[in-house]
Amino acid sequence: MRAIVTVIGKDRVGIIAEVCTLLAARGVNILDISQTVMQEYFTMIMLVDTAACNVPFGELSRDLAASGEDRALSIRVQREDIFEAMHRI
Amino acid sequence: MINFNEILQTNEMIDAQHLDIRTITMGISLLDCADADITVACRKIYDKITRRAERLVAVGEEIESEFGIPIVNKRISVTPIALIAGACGETDYTPFAVALDNAAKTVGVNFIGGFSALVHKGFIDADRNLIASIPRALSETERVCASVNVGTTKAGINMDAVRLCGEAVKEAARLTAETGGFACAKLVIFANAVEDNPFMAGAFHGVGEPECVINVGVSGPGVVYHALQAVKGEPFDVVAETIKKTAFRVTRMGQLVAREASARLGAPFGIVDLSLAPTPAIGDSVADILTEMGLSNVGAHGTTAALALLNDAVKKGGVMASSHVGGLSGAFIPVSEDAGMIAAAQSGLLTIEKLEAMTCVCSVGLDMIAVPGDTPAATISAIIADEAAIGMINNKTTAVRIIPAPGRVVGDVVDFGGLLGTAPVMPVSRGESADFIARGGRIPAPLHSLRN
């Protein structure tokens, strides 16, 4: 299953590394990364494959959110289908 | 891949503009639960609901977590209870409401609809018993919602039922006087009621429906409001197009959630109800959309036209986004549940008369309106009759959910809490309707009911 990880927060060193480490530890494969810094705010969107994820989706979602909260980042993971549904016919 | 901006836009709609799935409603047929013994019937009802809906809330939460979209309510609608209750010899149907309430609590849904009777052309004995049981049933249960269909375009209006419903509303208010007549917030009197409505308090599972079905109600007034802020001063053609595009997106999301829920719960997908349902939260208001079109407040002249455009554009945008559209589909205008409506009503700029006009072009009717506690039952009945007439003549659903708040007068505010909000007590006409309501009988169906 493909999902989108969105990371938003104040820019600093190591954000990508931290998120990637967390995903790798749970068997989530990163397919694509796109990232920018807008007015000091770091915004990253990742397309990931959760087929080999070793925890349930809900747990992955909670882990990401919790790890983000510790670092004052908003991190969420959502199935790709919701964006497809809203923006593609 | 979906692009950067599309992802951020979707998440902004969810975070800042209150985009959500308003309800996943499971419709469950109770036609096989009738029994000559009321205790047995109630047990069958409880068992069937708790079996069918066992995973409803869990599945709703799973979907919520995977898609990152809030699903505000998980609810249940059942076969109109009058159709089941007739088999037992009792006349007080409160035990059925208690069984529904217990089942709702067990599975964890916040409302269950279907303590209902369909009497648009006449009563079966059970219908009269059910209507008489409504005040007690609603005041002694927490989560049960009741509805009565008193008229249709095909059948006309059952004015005896209109009279009984006015009395039921008054009695329900009296029994829950300490909470401002809260029971009335769970009672809807319909004309042209639909059988697949997922929204409360008027949901029931019609007799033409399957054994079990998943209906989804979408929302998103905040998203439409936000989209319109980008087209300030543009002509109405642009306004309508903007609303259509927004409604399309919102509905696609509803369709996705409905399909997922249906697959996981093993129940067929019924419909997506394309409704703009406000909540009392700031920025989640239908009134704000109307004012964004250029009105100083909801209730100003032009409100009906603005609402007509909104209601139509929502349907046009949504209809292509879902394989099956149904329910009430349109804009809701519940006064107590919409911050903009509350403000306009409090300042006297929005009156019941204007709301009545608005119900000619929106999806439902006079909704969540508090009126003085001394309003006579006949006046309530007459308000119901007026709404039913609008529905009957215009081939649309209309409804009345009105609260004659005991001991309250114009200017008071009744707080129902949560999604039901706060209702300013609005003035009604002091004219007398008692002799009109006392006539009874049926108002014949209009000429255009003869379409065959």
Side-chain angles (χ1 to χ4, degrees), chain A residues 12-77:
Chain A
R12 60 175 172 73
V13 174
I15 297 179
I16 298 183
E18 287 160 11
V19 177
C20 291
T21 307
L22 194 152
L23 292 174
R26 284 157 187 75
V28 177
N29 188 29
I30 298 168
L31 304 173
D32 196 356
I33 299 185
S34 159
Q35 169 258 291
T36 182
V37 177
M38 290 185 290
Q39 294 158 351
E40 292 181 36
Y41 272 85
F42 173 86
T43 307
M44 174 169 68
I45 287 167
M46 295 170 143
L47 176 65
V48 301
D49 183 354
T50 59
C53 184
N54 51 32
V55 295
F57 196 94
E59 196 178 319
L60 173 68
S61 171
R62 280 190 296 276
D63 288 352
L64 282 168
S67 122
E69 270 170 35
D70 295 344
R71 299 169 174 80
L73 294 168
S74 149
I75 309 182
R76 68 169 88 184
V77 57

Side-chain angles (χ1 to χ4, degrees), chain B residues 264-448:
Chain B
R264 293 182 195 195
L265 289 163
F269 158 61
I271 55 98
V272 173
D273 187 319
L274 318 173
S275 282
L276 289 184
T279 68
I282 299 296
D284 203 18
S285 157
V286 168
D288 285 353
I289 301 174
L290 305 179
T291 51
E292 183 58 34
M293 287 191 212
L295 301 165
S296 65
N297 58 274
V298 60
H301 292 295
T303 301
T304 310
L307 184 58
L309 179 149
L310 172 66
N311 202 51
D312 183 60
V314 165
K315 287 181 210 171
K316 286 175 178 163
V319 78
M320 192 181 138
S322 171
S323 50
H324 297 279
V325 171
L328 298 166
S329 285
F332 291 168
I333 50 169
V335 174
S336 75
E337 299 173 13
D338 186 312
M341 299 262 179
I342 295 170
Q346 264 171 336
S347 54
L349 296 167
L350 177 63
T351 61
I352 287 191
E353 290 74 14
K354 188 61 181 176
L355 281 162
E356 186 178 320
M358 290 162 72
T359 66
C360 301
V361 299
C362 78
S363 66
V364 205
L366 290 175
D367 199 11
M368 287 304 287
I369 293 171
V371 297
D374 63 357
T375 308
T379 301
I380 305 273
S381 292
I383 291 170
I384 294 169
D386 283 344
E387 272 305 306
I390 289 171
M392 174 180 78
I393 295 294
N394 293 302
N395 265 314
K396 75 180 286 288
T397 304
T398 48
V400 174
R401 184 159 53 141
I402 193 167
I403 303 107
R408 312 296 174 93
V409 295
V410 174
D412 289 351
V413 170
V414 192
D415 189 1
F416 297 116
L419 278 179
L420 295 169
T422 16
V425 177
M426 300 173 77
V428 295
S429 164
R430 303 317 284 183
E432 292 277 335
S433 312
D435 292 345
F436 175 79
I437 292 303
R439 284 176 182 269
R442 278 196 286 151
I443 294 183
L447 184 60
H448 57 261

Side-chain angles (χ1 to χ4, degrees), chain A residues 1 4 6 8 32 34-36 38 43-47 57-58 61 76-79 81-89, chain B residues 1-11 13-15 19 65-69 248-250 252-253 256 259-260 264 320:
Chain A
M1 185 171 71
I4 303 280
T6 319
I8 300 174
D32 196 356
S34 159
Q35 169 258 291
T36 182
M38 290 185 290
T43 307
M44 174 169 68
I45 287 167
M46 295 170 143
L47 176 65
F57 196 94
S61 171
R76 68 169 88 184
V77 57
Q78 293 157 282
R79 279 176 56 178
D81 318 34
I82 183 173
F83 305 103
E84 289 281 347
M86 283 187 87
H87 298 283
R88 298 284 181 274
I89 294 179
Chain B
M1 181 183 164
I2 294 290
N3 75 39
F4 214 87
N5 287 337
E6 289 167 335
I7 291 169
L8 295 182
Q9 187 191 34
T10 300
N11 286 341
M13 284 182 185
I14 295 169
D15 295 339
L19 176 63
S65 148
E66 287 177 26
F67 292 102
I69 175 86
F248 177 81
R249 292 208 172 105
V250 170
R252 286 274 287 194
M253 196 189 60
L256 175 70
R259 219 177 43 222
E260 281 288 330
R264 293 182 195 195
M320 192 181 138

